[in-house]
Amino acid sequence: MRDTSGGGVRATGRVVVLALLWGSTFLWIDLALDGFSPVQITFVRCALGAALLLVLARRAGVRLPRGRRMAGRLLVAALLCNTLPFALFSLGQQSVDSGVAGVLNATTPLWSLLVGLAAGDRRALGARPLAGLAAGFAGTVVIFAPWQSGALAGWGALALLGAGASYALAFAWMGRVLAGQGVPAIGLSAAQLSVATLLAALLLPWGGPPPTAPGPVPVLALVVLGLFATGVTFHLTFRTIVAEGPTQAAAVGYLLPVVSVLLGAVVLGERVGWRVVAGTAVVLGGVVLTRWGARSRVPAGKAGECPEPLPAR
């Protein structure tokens, strides 16, 4: 009998690395905000991630997708899955802790369920998915406690929730028009992030003055965010899907909020109160309910760099 223990160790190691990279996204955004505006962070993040993926696509001998119709589809996907949510997360984290941002990122499957309901998906009408939806958003309310003075609720929280909703719309769009087109994932994702970079560049004139002398920490954080938390994360996610299947890759999504909360507390000294802990548990419980018994599937294109934060895809 063949010994598969080595493969299991490698698979576990890959999941751990992915969870750390993916969950650290919000830490790097928080650090980068000390020297750059949200629009500038969005542009550089997209540009660095696209550059890395273009290099990987070239080394693999993969050509980028072409054609007017594909360009239009990529434009919508890049806006909803990259430029808009990246900008909203950076905007939101100006007033919301990085750990909480990671938890709100986990609401994407809940938004995906709402998109399914709006589209008339009868599978979303089951008692278990609806209970999960209610629990997930109840957990969000627990975290922000809008009934208390000095609560976390505000425009920052709305921006973060909007980012999750944008991801959900993007995944629905990509699943409909980009999946199954015969284009290798690395080429599709490189093209999508390239388009996202162009869209972000259009916003730069309104993104605040150019940074005069950002310190080394914001610069380093932005480089890590673009190359590792965006480009490398995408590449490793697909390797995990190919090697172990989407179910194993999905496990990363459930670790992401835990990693973001821990990094925020340890590195940034963010306070982790009982509401954040309880709300995170309720949100993840709600996501589990919405996915209970659902067939795991590869994200549409994971297509755009944009790994879905939790496996609704």
Side-chain angles (χ1 to χ4, degrees):
M1 180 179 294
R2 185 176 59 178
D3 181 9
T4 59
S5 60
V9 171
R10 285 193 297 272
T12 301
R14 191 178 290 124
V15 167
V16 170
V17 171
L18 260 177
L20 290 174
L21 286 175
W22 211 338
S24 70
T25 296
F26 312 97
L27 167 66
W28 305 124
I29 291 175
D30 194 281
L31 294 174
L33 282 169
D34 286 338
F36 301 91
S37 73
V39 170
Q40 291 159 358
I41 291 173
T42 300
F43 170 73
V44 176
R45 177 182 182 182
C46 289
L48 291 177
L52 177 62
L53 293 177
L54 287 169
V55 170
L56 293 176
R58 183 176 180 82
R59 288 184 60 184
V62 173
R63 298 179 61 181
L64 300 187
R66 299 180 180 181
R68 183 176 301 177
R69 175 178 294 183
M70 179 60 74
R73 293 174 175 178
L74 285 172
L75 180 66
V76 176
L79 174 65
L80 294 176
C81 192
N82 303 113
T83 309
L84 181 58
F86 287 2
L88 288 174
F89 272 115
S90 296
L91 283 167
Q93 284 191 232
Q94 290 182 313
S95 58
V96 177
D97 286 349
S98 66
V100 173
V103 175
L104 293 186
N105 192 38
T107 64
T108 295
L110 307 178
W111 291 111
S112 293
L113 185 63
L114 281 178
V115 171
L117 286 170
D121 184 355
R122 293 187 177 182
R123 292 173 299 178
L125 292 173
R128 193 173 285 153
L130 291 178
L133 182 66
F137 286 112
T140 303
V141 173
V142 170
I143 291 173
F144 289 104
W147 58 85
Q148 291 190 354
S149 59
L152 291 172
W155 68 265
L158 293 177
L160 295 172
L161 288 171
S166 183
Y167 277 142
L169 290 170
F171 301 149
W173 170 260
M174 291 188 292
R176 181 179 295 272
V177 304
L178 291 180
Q181 298 299 311
V183 181
I186 188 68
L188 199 60
S189 60
Q192 184 170 316
L193 263 188
S194 297
V195 174
T197 303
L198 296 176
L199 291 175
L202 296 176
L203 298 176
L204 284 175
W206 297 275
T212 52
V217 172
V219 171
L220 178 61
L222 191 50
V223 171
V224 174
L225 175 66
L227 291 179
F228 293 94
T230 303
V232 172
T233 297
F234 166 81
H235 187 56
L236 284 180
T237 299
F238 260 104
R239 286 191 61 183
T240 300
I241 291 173
V242 171
E244 287 90 35
T247 300
Q248 184 78 349
V252 179
Y254 296 104
L255 295 174
L256 186 153
V258 179
V259 172
S260 68
V261 170
L262 288 177
L263 287 176
V266 174
V267 180
L268 301 176
E270 296 173 351
R271 181 177 176 273
V272 182
W274 71 266
R275 287 205 316 270
V276 173
V277 175
T280 300
V282 174
V283 167
L284 291 181
V287 170
V288 170
L289 279 176
T290 64
R291 300 302 300 157
W292 192 278
R295 178 174 59 88
S296 296
R297 58 183 185 272
V298 178
K302 202 135 187 226
E305 180 271 323
C306 164
E308 181 178 359
L310 280 174
R313 52 157 169 144

